[in-house]
Amino acid sequence: MNTVIVGAQWGDEGKGKIVDFLTEDADVVIRAQGGNNAGHTVIANGEKYVLHLVPSGILWPDKTNIIGNGVVLDPFGLLEELDTLRGQGVVISSDNLAISEGAHLVLPYHRGLDRRRESNRGQRKIGTTGRGIGPSYGDKVDRTGLRVADFNQPDRLMEKLAAKVEEANLIFESVGEEKLNLKEIGDQLLDAAEKLSPHVRNCVTYAHEQIQAGKSLLFEGAQGTYLDIDHGTFPFVTSSNTTVGGAITGSGVPPKFIDRVIGVTKAYTTRVGEGPFVSEDEAISDMLHGMGREFGATTGRARRCGWFDSVLVSYATLVNGIDQLALTNLDGLDGLDEIKICTSYKLGGEMLTAPPPHSRDWDQCEPVYESHPGWKTQTTEARTFDDLPAAARKYLARIEELCGVPVAILGVGPDRAQTLVA
């Protein structure tokens, strides 16, 4: 069975844990979009692994991992990540990690431009991580970007790099910022190209060879539905398609080979960065931060937190064709007397059950809540759905009813063992 994992909120839903859990029954794990602005934290056998570009399947020694053509790849960041994983005992070779030759590169001038653009926005800032993702995708759309395929033509690679660095330096010079050193970047890039080249291949044909051999594919989504450039809370979005379509175009695997879509959502809602957040709640944010929860794997920033928003998740099921939900972090709500669910938005005199199209309307929306009793007991030791308190089971049933799909996987803690299957 070939499965796509997508985030049903604004990312950070715990997709890394779900992918890691499902990888046991998969043969190939594919990352198809985004860059190292995203991060997955996986805890396995008591060890914590933080992944940014490498698919979570790398933690299983007998699995194949693909970084697809839809990813924008920071070669220096990837090498650092590989060194960290190897230091934790993870075996990485050209046999278990493949990099698409069609993936575009994120380079130092992208990061400089990203920070410059965000600074210029002032109070209208988007909340970018400053990792250069947007400018890299911009070069891709403008057809001027450098790609992994350029690694095998060093002279052409340096020629293209020189043109892009010169272009960026004109901007930096005009605002009084330090210019980039072409030779330094070029030497580093050639070194990275040599180290990464053993992993580079045509990953479209490679993925189809796996399909023809009867292997099962697991597509690891990065970020979430509402960061999608087309379907998210524009302009407070990322620069790629984080919905199910991104898995298709970012890998070269067509829809007819997709058997199942699983949407990952928390038992509440979180968001990193700027932008609208209708069900945001200061009290639940303070509670979760006080528990040491909800800090970004990539940035370390405290996430904004709020109640579960069924408007978001039910609409995400439509956009992605979600068949099942994987709901994580139920244990984060264990100590509450009362738990709320946002069931609709009030905008002026109108009640909305789908997100509004304009950001200015988002800011005017008021959440409409229904209240549920808390279970006031730990769920972390539960190993089946029947082990859960009755109030927790009722809470999950109501989420299923509102979102129109079953909760098939449930997380009650960070470890693999703390994953329940319906």
Side-chain angles (χ1 to χ4, degrees):
M1 177 177 286
N2 299 329
T3 301
V4 177
I5 304 296
V6 295
Q9 297 166 316
W10 280 289
D12 304 309
E13 300 98 346
K15 294 181 298 299
K17 171 187 169 69
I18 300 303
V19 170
D20 174 69
F21 180 76
L22 293 174
T23 298
E24 184 172 8
D25 296 320
D27 300 298
V28 183
V29 182
I30 303 176
R31 171 78 183 274
Q33 54 74 222
N36 64 347
N37 58 329
H40 289 153
T41 300
V42 177
I43 297 177
N45 302 319
E47 182 83 15
K48 179 180 178 180
Y49 304 89
V50 179
L51 305 164
H52 299 287
L53 284 164
V54 180
S56 300
I58 202 70
L59 304 180
W60 294 79
D62 58 341
K63 311 298 180 179
T64 299
N65 297 269
I66 296 175
I67 299 176
N69 57 274
V71 173
V72 286
L73 186 145
D74 180 335
F76 313 127
L78 177 58
L79 286 171
E80 183 178 342
E81 184 175 342
L82 294 178
D83 285 344
T84 299
L85 289 170
R86 288 186 175 113
Q88 293 182 279
V90 179
V91 176
I92 301 168
S93 70
S94 58
D95 293 327
N96 69 351
L97 178 64
I99 301 171
S100 171
E101 57 195 10
H104 278 249
L105 300 178
V106 180
L107 294 167
Y109 54 85
H110 291 124
R111 294 193 293 274
L113 291 171
D114 199 358
R115 291 191 293 269
R116 162 56 43 187
R117 292 173 185 175
E118 183 75 345
S119 176
N120 287 342
R121 292 186 180 104
Q123 292 185 343
R124 296 177 292 109
K125 64 181 180 178
I126 292 172
T128 172
T129 61
R131 299 295 179 97
I133 307 304
S136 179
Y137 274 116
D139 281 354
K140 179 177 181 177
V141 173
D142 197 39
R143 294 161 291 183
T144 61
L146 281 68
R147 301 193 304 161
V148 171
D150 295 320
F151 283 173
N152 64 9
Q153 296 180 321
D155 291 342
R156 177 60 176 154
L157 179 66
M158 290 300 100
E159 181 184 334
K160 293 174 71 174
L161 177 67
K164 295 304 295 185
V165 170
E166 180 181 7
E167 178 185 318
N169 277 341
L170 288 173
I171 296 173
F172 298 148
E173 186 177 31
S174 70
V175 295
E177 292 188 6
E178 183 179 355
K179 296 198 295 184
L180 298 171
N181 186 310
L182 173 60
K183 184 180 186 308
E184 180 180 342
I185 297 173
D187 289 345
Q188 291 174 347
L189 184 56
L190 289 174
D191 180 64
E194 182 179 357
K195 291 176 178 175
L196 292 174
S197 286
H199 299 277
V200 176
R201 62 194 307 167
N202 184 326
C203 287
V204 173
T205 59
Y206 184 53
H208 281 263
E209 289 168 2
Q210 301 298 309
I211 294 170
Q212 294 304 315
K215 305 293 186 180
S216 64
L217 277 54
L218 185 61
F219 295 81
E220 178 181 80
Q223 301 159 312
T225 296
Y226 293 94
L227 293 177
D228 186 277
I229 188 68
D230 287 299
H231 300 287
T233 50
F234 189 88
F236 302 98
V237 293
T238 192
S239 303
S240 64
N241 287 111
T242 58
T243 42
V244 69
I248 304 303
T249 58
S251 67
V253 176
K256 69 178 182 179
F257 291 118
I258 304 303
D259 301 304
R260 176 177 61 167
V261 179
I262 296 179
V264 186
T265 174
K266 283 176 179 161
Y268 43 89
T269 309
T270 64
R271 166 160 215 175
V272 171
E274 307 299 320
F277 186 170
V278 176
S279 69
E280 185 171 12
D281 184 273
E282 184 177 352
I284 192 172
S285 292
D286 290 344
M287 179 196 75
L288 290 166
H289 295 154
M291 296 165 66
R293 293 173 177 257
E294 303 309 338
F295 294 91
T298 297
T299 64
R301 289 185 292 183
R303 298 180 184 128
R304 299 156 61 192
C305 306
W307 299 110
F308 185 88
D309 187 338
S310 69
V311 178
L312 293 181
V313 179
S314 61
Y315 191 73
T317 64
L318 301 180
V319 171
N320 295 290
I322 291 173
D323 300 299
Q324 300 172 335
L325 290 177
L327 190 141
T328 65
N329 292 63
L330 182 72
D331 53 305
L333 303 178
D334 284 352
L336 294 173
D337 294 308
E338 178 190 32
I339 300 171
K340 297 179 181 179
I341 297 177
C342 176
T343 58
S344 59
Y345 301 161
K346 184 177 181 181
L347 178 61
E350 185 180 2
M351 300 296 289
L352 304 180
T353 55
H358 302 295
S359 59
R360 64 177 180 270
D361 290 335
W362 277 92
D363 293 334
Q364 303 302 316
C365 286
E366 299 177 18
V368 177
Y369 290 119
E370 62 181 33
S371 179
H372 295 261
W375 39 93
K376 297 288 290 181
T377 187
Q378 287 191 357
T379 57
T380 53
E381 299 301 319
R383 293 297 175 264
T384 70
F385 277 71
D386 289 339
D387 293 338
L388 296 170
R393 295 199 300 272
K394 289 179 181 178
Y395 179 68
L396 297 176
R398 181 56 175 153
I399 288 175
E400 292 178 329
E401 182 180 14
L402 288 166
C403 299
V405 285
V407 175
I409 302 173
L410 181 68
V412 293
D415 199 84
R416 280 178 187 163
Q418 293 172 305
T419 311
L420 286 55
V421 179

